[in-house]
Amino acid sequence: MQQPRKLYVKSFGCQMNVYDSQRMADTLAREGFTETQDPADADLVILNTCHIREKAAEKVYSELGRLRKAKQEAGSDTMIAVAGCVAQAEGAEIMRRAPVVDLVVGPQSYHRLPELLRAAGTGARVVDTEFPVEDKFDHLAAPSRAATRARGPAAFLTVQEGCDKFCTFCVVPYTRGAEVSRPAAKILAEAERLVGQGVRELILIGQNVNAYHGDGPDGRPWSLARLMEALARIEGLARLRYTTSHPRDMGADLIAAHRDLPQLMPYLHLPVQSGSDKVLELMNRGHSRGTYLDLVRDLRAVRPDLALSSDFIVGFPGETDADFEATLDLVREVGFAGAYAFKYSPRPGTPAAGHGSQAPEDVKSARLAALQKLLEASKVAFDTSLKGRTLEILLEKSGRHEGQMIGRSPYLQSVVVTNPPAAIGDLLAVTITEVGPNSLAGRVPALASSRPLAAMEA
Ligand code: SAH
Ligand code: SF4
Ligand code: F3S
């Protein structure tokens, strides 16, 4: 019998890191680790890091500084591991800058954690940033029923990892490696297991999720649309989402899936980055403003209630005022329900970082503020349009106040309801009564048209 040990995992960056952190915790559960929310209480701390922008990458060093101090003060021998995209991109640098780190592990080596920890436990400082030949998904442990229940009724499931697109600003193709799709049968098995444990909503994730082309059980490659068609047949699975998509891979069958699959939520995150053709070309995006707008039109034609969100970069090298205006103009034209906007951050080793005409910081700041203001207005307009409408929400957790529960709308908004006649894991129809900056409030319609389905089993 192993000694019980405590694990603290902190995730930065995207949803793939959240999923990976869960799978690391599941795998270490087999080694006798239970999770704690308090780093001071942990025998092992894992920082699962993000390298996408400079600020994100630097966070790991400030976090390590805090951990070093806490460790010294407590005189503890907590082991410290750095995982994720910073680990992959600058493993040796981490070891040099942060002597407190015992182990660096890249995203493709998580299944090796138990043996790497044993090696680090002997006092050696260990770095594993290989891209191994074996499939890590075959070796990572599945979550226990208790772990799945604790994570709630909506679960992430990685179907594709890595990227071959090489946008000129982006580190992901270097940190996550080449695009790989998991075989459909393995995804279906993982989905069935999760649904059997009470999951009602699956969020299929991948850096380029709609480029999915995994081997199908029929020996042919399956598209994401084909995969979702099979997933939609799993009894008890109420909702499907997928993220993040690239405009280049929105095939006709995927667009049709938005019409044909009732489980597929009418909300799509489709990053466009810029509204200027010149900038899109410099970014090597492989799509134009026009092809993006065509896609939006085609998607809305098959699913009129579809809402869109997006990502934008401002101050990309070479972006002029006119290019930036074209971005604002695209935002007005599409009317996004939400979006993220970022200042361009030059990343080591990416082509755009070496571009001669980097935008000054004040230009980036001014453009970011203008874009964010417009995006916020667009979001508020969308949220406000839902007032008085009845939406189905998936109840996810208890709220802050007595009797309150929080659910998710089809559009990923948090919706607060008081004393709903339902439990976590239920779908419930609610009428939206209030629209706040971070959440909506709703009530169950008087003529109880709520449809509580089976709760997550005890
Ligand atoms: N795979 C996704 C997004 C990956 S990163 C896609 O292809 O769209 C998430 C977002 O971070 C990107 O959409 C982009 O808007 C932003 N981003 C990526 N690299 C960046 C950089 N160097 N500077 C600023 N923002 C960046
Ligand atoms: Fe990065 Fe572009 Fe790949 Fe998205 S598609 S992960 S932005 S290189
Ligand atoms: Fe960040 Fe890596 Fe995700 S760089 S956004 S954690 S793929």
Side-chain angles (χ1 to χ4, degrees), residues 10 136 211 231 293 298 346 385 412 421:
K10 182 163 181 178
K136 70 173 167 188
L231 287 166
L293 292 172
D298 293 350
S385 75
L412 279 183

Side-chain angles (χ1 to χ4, degrees), residues 52 162-174 176 179 206-208 244-249 271 273 283-285 311 313:
I52 202 82
C163 180
D164 297 337
K165 297 277 193 300
F166 291 93
C167 300
T168 55
F169 51 81
C170 186
V171 292
V172 171
Y174 311 97
R176 291 280 169 168
E179 211 179 274
Q207 268 87 34
N208 247 293
T244 298
S245 296
H246 194 290
R248 243 157 83 183
D249 297 312
Q273 316 297 354
M283 288 176 165
N284 189 34
R285 286 289 290 177
D311 290 342
I313 295 177

Side-chain angles (χ1 to χ4, degrees), residues 1-7 28-34 43:
M1 220 2 228
Q2 303 261 7
Q3 282 291 331
R5 289 177 289 176
K6 294 219 168 126
L7 164 70
L28 292 173
R30 259 193 330 213
E31 305 283 309
F33 281 95
T34 54
D43 300 286

Side-chain angles (χ1 to χ4, degrees), residues 12-17 48-53 56 84-86 171-172 175-176 207:
F12 302 83
C14 65
Q15 292 157 331
M16 178 100 45
N17 269 5
N48 198 5
T49 61
C50 173
H51 200 244
I52 202 82
R53 285 166 293 274
C85 290
V86 183
V171 292
V172 171
T175 63
R176 291 280 169 168
Q207 268 87 34

Side-chain angles (χ1 to χ4, degrees), residues 174-331:
Y174 311 97
T175 63
R176 291 280 169 168
E179 211 179 274
V180 177
S181 297
R182 296 178 64 192
K186 294 198 174 158
I187 295 166
L188 288 165
E190 190 170 331
E192 271 162 19
R193 187 187 159 94
L194 287 167
V195 174
Q197 292 177 332
V199 164
R200 308 301 316 277
E201 170 175 320
L202 281 176
I203 305 144
L204 308 181
I205 53 176
Q207 268 87 34
N208 247 293
V209 72
N210 58 343
Y212 178 82
H213 59 273
D215 293 335
D218 54 5
R220 285 203 295 260
W222 277 16
S223 66
L224 185 65
R226 180 76 190 78
L227 177 68
M228 288 197 296
E229 203 185 294
L231 287 166
R233 281 194 222 110
I234 298 177
E235 187 145 356
L237 181 63
R239 290 175 157 192
L240 273 170
R241 305 179 188 274
Y242 62 93
T243 196
T244 298
S245 296
H246 194 290
R248 243 157 83 183
D249 297 312
M250 287 303 303
D253 65 340
L254 188 52
I255 294 175
H258 281 273
R259 177 193 61 208
D260 300 335
L261 296 180
Q263 292 90 339
L264 185 54
M265 290 292 99
Y267 187 73
L268 180 63
H269 184 62
L270 193 60
V272 61
Q273 316 297 354
S274 168
S276 151
D277 278 337
K278 185 193 86 191
V279 174
L280 290 171
E281 181 80 41
L282 287 170
M283 288 176 165
N284 189 34
R285 286 289 290 177
H287 65 84
S288 66
R289 174 194 179 93
T291 50
Y292 186 86
L293 292 172
D294 288 348
L295 268 177
V296 171
R297 187 200 54 214
D298 293 350
L299 282 158
R300 283 180 170 156
V302 299
R303 191 72 216 233
D305 61 343
L306 185 89
L308 287 144
S309 69
S310 201
D311 290 342
F312 294 88
I313 295 177
V314 298
F316 187 79
E319 183 188 71
T320 62
D321 286 340
D323 294 319
F324 178 61
E325 278 304 321
T327 298
L328 296 178
D329 186 60
L330 178 131
V331 171

